[in-house]
Amino acid sequence: LTSKGMSLLYIDDLISLNVQERNAQLDVLDASITKIQSYQRSDGSFSYWPGSNSHPWSDVYVGLFLHLASEKGFTISKEVLNKWSENMIKIANSWRLEGQMSSSYVQRREEQLQAFRLYTLARLGKAQKGAMNRFRQRTDLKELTKLLLGGAYHYAGLSDIAETLVSSAIQSGIIDQNYYFWGSRIRSSALAITIGSEVTPQFISDRYFRDWVENVNQRRWLSTQDKGFCFLASHTYYKDDAPIATEIEFEIISDKYK
């Protein structure tokens, strides 16, 4: 549901839509936003399915989407977003790993999640600098974790630290095979383009972007998160200079339109 919304959020920046397609886009986005907000639990998190527990990665992903949707002018309940961010801030500042991790895989997974959490809070204008600084002291952070943490520092206004972390991550090559959080090379590269275009645009060349697009186009299947982050990456890379496509195969599905 969130990935469908993320994909449609920027589609009109990249594809020329006629009136019916534009109405369908807005129809699906409004319905998705309303439904997502109804999934909020009493602690501020969002359940994965109605009435279920929340999933730690998707919970952060939902908050990011709702914030981006508000930036695009969609109506998001301030109460919903504030309740979610208060819970995220509490988790971010109490985050600890020592004595809890049974394997290096779980440790890397939880580090990546914390970095995503810090990045998203910073994008909301609620950077947790104390938690970010403590987290940065950890040794041997993996590339995707460094990238997300660098993005957090960027939105916190600490550009020197941001550039160091992001440039190191991109130049080392970002590989994420954490399937518990739906990780993939496509999504990792999309995040590199999204954050790198803002922080270290010198490392996101036209060729880097074209090679990634070619890789995406060669895939027979993409996860919903792959698609959502691909649209976000393309929007961030092009900003206001997107070459609007007039011919492309796609469909928008809703109760009214297909």
Side-chain angles (χ1 to χ4, degrees):
L1 184 61
T2 302
S3 292
K4 184 200 310 186
M6 186 74 86
S7 300
L8 290 176
L9 198 57
Y10 299 110
I11 196 170
D12 58 314
D13 294 334
L14 304 167
I15 298 170
S16 178
L17 304 180
N18 60 36
V19 173
Q20 184 179 17
E21 290 163 347
R22 174 61 172 163
N23 287 337
Q25 176 204 20
L26 297 175
D27 173 57
V28 175
L29 276 167
D30 285 336
S32 297
I33 289 167
T34 299
K35 195 168 185 177
I36 287 169
Q37 291 182 104
S38 73
Y39 285 9
Q40 189 166 49
R41 294 154 45 92
S42 59
D43 64 357
S45 65
F46 291 94
S47 60
Y48 193 71
W49 298 110
S52 72
N53 293 327
S54 62
H55 183 283
W57 179 274
S58 65
D59 188 26
V60 182
Y61 185 42
V62 169
L64 175 61
F65 166 69
L66 291 178
H67 168 68
L68 295 175
S70 70
E71 287 188 330
K72 285 281 284 184
F74 290 90
T75 301
I76 308 296
S77 167
K78 290 184 179 179
E79 181 182 355
V80 166
L81 206 49
N82 285 337
K83 192 174 180 180
W84 172 85
S85 62
E86 287 172 6
N87 186 52
M88 284 294 108
I89 289 170
K90 186 186 304 181
I91 295 171
N93 284 299
S94 62
W95 186 84
R96 297 289 186 277
L97 282 181
E98 286 72 19
Q100 299 179 14
M101 297 297 99
S102 58
S103 70
S104 60
Y105 171 81
V106 176
Q107 177 178 327
R108 299 311 181 198
R109 183 186 78 190
E110 294 304 311
E111 288 174 339
Q112 180 181 315
L113 174 61
Q114 173 70 347
F116 187 35
R117 186 181 292 122
L118 293 169
Y119 167 71
T120 301
L121 284 169
R123 283 202 72 146
L124 267 70
K126 299 186 178 185
Q128 300 303 298
K129 294 180 182 177
M132 289 159 55
N133 289 334
R134 289 193 299 275
F135 187 68
R136 187 163 63 99
Q137 300 308 310
R138 298 186 65 83
T139 59
D140 195 30
L141 292 175
K142 294 301 182 184
E143 281 70 27
L144 182 58
T145 300
K146 285 184 188 177
L147 177 79
L148 290 163
L149 183 58
Y153 275 105
H154 170 72
Y155 284 102
L158 298 166
S159 58
D160 288 347
I161 300 174
E163 289 174 12
T164 298
L165 288 166
V166 173
S167 61
S168 171
I170 292 175
Q171 290 182 91
S172 297
I174 299 170
I175 299 174
D176 172 26
Q177 300 295 340
N178 198 314
Y179 299 113
Y180 184 71
F181 292 153
W182 301 283
S184 71
R185 290 175 182 267
I186 292 293
R187 191 185 73 179
S188 295
S189 295
L191 281 165
I193 290 167
T194 300
I195 296 172
S197 295
E198 298 280 3
V199 182
T200 56
Q202 67 271 27
F203 293 116
I204 308 299
S205 64
D206 289 344
R207 180 167 183 176
Y208 186 102
F209 183 76
R210 285 197 306 269
D211 288 346
W212 170 73
V213 169
E214 185 176 344
N215 192 12
V216 171
N217 288 337
Q218 289 174 350
R219 296 297 179 100
R220 293 186 176 183
W221 178 86
L222 295 172
S223 74
T224 56
Q225 284 214 17
D226 286 342
K227 294 173 186 176
F229 279 107
C230 282
F231 274 93
L232 175 59
S234 298
H235 165 78
T236 309
Y237 175 77
Y238 282 120
K239 296 183 174 65
D240 296 326
D241 299 320
I244 302 297
T246 55
E247 295 184 9
I248 188 170
E249 270 191 48
F250 72 99
E251 65 177 2
I252 302 173
I253 300 173
S254 71
D255 293 336
K256 297 179 181 178
Y257 301 96
K258 181 173 179 180

